Amino acid sequence: MVEETQVRDFGNRMNKRKSGHKKGGNKARKKQKQFPGMGERVKIDPRVKKFLRKKARDYNSDDEDTEEGLAKGVEDDNLLPEYVIAEDVGGEEAEELGNEEDSDEEGEGTLPGITKLGEGSRAFRNAFKSVIKKGASEDPLGPVLSGHKKLVAEKLAEEEVERKAKGDAKKEKKLVAEKGHVKPANFLDTHERFLISVATKGVVKLFNAVNKAQVAQKGLNPLRSKDAKVINKRKKDAFYGELRRAPSASSTVKVNTSEGDAEGGTPSWAPLRDNYMLTNPKMKDWDKKLDSGVEDDIGGMSDDSSSDED
Amino acid sequence: MARLRNKNRKVFSKPSVKKKAAPTVDHVTGDKIPKSFVFSRGKLPGSLRQLQMDLRKLMLPFTALNLKEKKRNNLRDFLNVAGPMGVTHFLMLSKTDAAPYLKVARTPQGPTVTFKINQYSLASDITQSQLRPRCPSDLYKNPPLIVLSGFGSGEQHLKLTTIMFQNMFPAIDINTVKLSSCQRIVLLNYNKDTKLIDFRHYSIRLQPVGVSRRIRKFVQNHQIPDLRSLQDVSDFITKAGYGSESEGDEEAATVTLPCDLGRVNRATSKSAVKLQEIGPRMTLQLLRVEEGLCSGTVIFSEYGTANEKKTPGKENQKNQGGEEDEDEDNDDDEDEEQEDDEEASE
């Protein structure tokens, strides 16, 4: 607990120092200079307060009613500049600047010198006001010597046009480069879901076929020649059966279905079907491959059997 | 005196570390394993380069992942390298102002199929769009399965495309394949109306079915459940959670595994197949089939060849004839899968 308070104090101290710099730095410091007897910065002598209020009233009394000026004067010192800003910008800017100017010079002179300063300040204020009013024109260049203005304006306009042209060209290039690149949506839309279902069906078919083939084969030892024959036969039948049966079963589910012949009229044994070996191009190729494969097998098997007999 | 050589002396020789040669022949089926190169012709913009990388990953493990191509390499250089390395297919990406193109070719003189890529999404886009992207570490150790659907059986160019794609990936033998090695699947779906081919790449996941969600998650993810609110452990096991929405869909997707796969999926109990998209997504349009490797006579062309364009009357006739043929053909479509078997036809 103690540590906490200590830390807090330290923090506060840091804050105080910083705020001292930023906030009322000028005023507070100047006041301290004026009244060196004062210990803390924040305390303002009531006399000074009164004086400042009077000054504010003086400034404000030119543009507004005395009532308002009085009302303003009653407010706190620190709020004065803010209140000033909240109103009309044109007039009050001058007031505020005038205030600040005043506070700066106030530190230098003594009390009697301030009244003269007030007059001078008023003159400055009027001049500044007129400048501000003129400068209200929306020239992007700002206050520039008239002769040079045109050249600068032209240059800036040129640069802008160039930048725009370059930007457009770059954008176009980017568009062409990215042509076709599409960011996918977060959700699964119907088409995607359909595709996933198609793929899933394919995988399921494959896994079922594998399952059948491998489970049926589990009991058999592939090295024994007798079993090898059985394995081969099983492989043949099971595999063809799966593939032949599959199109008739699944084509009803898919969208691009054949018109009617797959509804259940096709016999399940492959060679009985009309389109046996004709439709699936992969199958066709397979025949050629399989012939060579089978020959090898048969050769191998006969060798085995002969060696066994021996 | 001559030193007698002890013939039985065993000479100590360092066991030579032979670099394991990449298998050129599949030890199961005896076929040559197809290998591929994925490269670009011409300079590609950034996202297409990423697409090229995604395609390379897709073709793993039988492709060159870090293939370095220089500007001055032309097709001949690739051909020269392909021969000794046993590379059978080239996938070439290119880009014009109109669209990016993908050419699939069979080396050394095989046909070339040209696709126009209407739309594509990168693998990184897809994983960003997903809530729970997954990429297990051994996903790319095995080649993917391929599923072709919607191609029908009639038209020549479609047949050629299917054969080309089927031959690009090594065949699997259902009797010896391990289901744990089938982890990816490439889907090519042809839409007859729009003549567009959807290309998708999914990862396969098996989840036990019939197990309540909490128990499944507990076993799969090793997440220790929160038992604060329960009186007894039996509450945890028997509490009926709300069923997931996709329970119905899963019925069609259940398989019975021949063996145990991982900790969760046991043999003889049902498991559901769940696919999650990884990898690039493309919409392709078949443009041209050429006889040679990016050269040769044009067997099929979407827009008609230059010769035909000269006589628009003739071209119309030809097109009409073609359309009639297509209508007559059976709209038979099957899921053709990459499978091989060692049997004779009956």
Side-chain angles (χ1 to χ4, degrees), chain B residues 4-215:
Chain B
L4 291 170
R5 264 188 78 191
N6 185 5
K7 287 198 180 139
N8 294 334
R9 172 189 68 182
K10 280 203 178 133
V11 178
F12 173 74
S13 58
K14 223 180 187 178
S16 57
V17 180
K18 262 191 234 159
K19 203 173 182 184
K20 203 172 182 185
T24 48
V25 174
D26 194 351
H27 58 273
V28 176
T29 59
D31 293 333
K32 196 171 166 205
I33 296 185
K35 297 193 189 164
S36 54
F37 274 169
V38 182
F39 56 91
S40 65
R41 303 196 73 189
K43 188 162 187 218
L44 291 183
S47 51
L48 277 180
R49 254 178 272 154
Q50 278 205 339
L51 183 69
Q52 183 186 323
M53 201 59 202
D54 288 339
L55 281 176
R56 274 193 196 157
K57 273 201 184 161
L58 197 148
M59 306 294 299
L60 277 179
F62 297 118
T63 189
L65 189 62
N66 298 319
L67 185 68
K68 299 243 183 328
E69 45 192 71
K70 295 224 168 63
K71 212 167 165 185
R72 61 173 184 270
N73 288 134
N74 49 16
L75 203 54
R76 184 141 294 280
D77 299 335
F78 284 110
L79 268 179
N80 290 339
V81 180
M85 294 189 73
V87 172
T88 55
H89 288 85
F90 282 174
L91 275 85
M92 295 167 275
L93 280 171
S94 62
K95 170 114 176 61
T96 63
D97 284 338
Y101 293 91
L102 172 69
K103 289 194 191 190
V104 181
R106 176 95 173 68
T107 62
Q109 300 153 351
T112 313
V113 187
T114 309
F115 296 102
K116 176 172 159 186
I117 302 179
N118 283 4
Q119 288 178 342
Y120 64 93
S121 298
L122 301 172
S124 49
D125 296 336
I126 290 177
T127 44
Q128 271 175 7
S129 76
Q130 284 176 344
L131 271 183
R132 296 196 187 93
R134 68 182 275 269
C135 184
S137 57
D138 55 349
L139 196 59
Y140 293 106
K141 274 199 191 148
N142 300 107
L145 309 173
I146 177 158
V147 172
L148 297 146
S149 105
F151 279 95
S153 48
E155 295 154 7
Q156 252 261 330
H157 54 273
L158 292 181
K159 256 199 265 183
L160 196 81
T161 320
T162 57
I163 294 179
M164 172 92 66
F165 274 109
Q166 278 173 343
N167 291 338
M168 238 191 331
F169 298 99
I172 62 171
D173 175 23
I174 55 167
N175 294 292
T176 54
V177 70
K178 273 199 213 172
L179 286 183
S180 59
S181 67
C182 305
Q183 286 186 312
R184 292 185 289 142
I185 179 169
V186 171
L187 168 73
L188 281 146
N189 180 44
Y190 179 67
N191 188 341
K192 272 210 174 77
D193 306 321
T194 62
K195 296 206 176 165
L196 293 176
I197 302 178
D198 290 314
F199 179 102
R200 301 281 186 274
H201 183 211
Y202 300 104
S203 69
I204 300 177
R205 192 163 48 120
L206 288 167
Q207 251 185 11
V209 141
V211 176
S212 87
R213 204 152 166 235
R214 303 165 119 210
I215 297 181

Side-chain angles (χ1 to χ4, degrees), chain A residues 124-140:
Chain A
F124 176 78
R125 179 187 135 257
N126 289 335
F128 189 82
K129 242 176 131 181
S130 59
V131 168
I132 290 283
K133 267 193 192 149
K134 249 200 242 167
S137 61
E138 291 81 30
D139 197 354

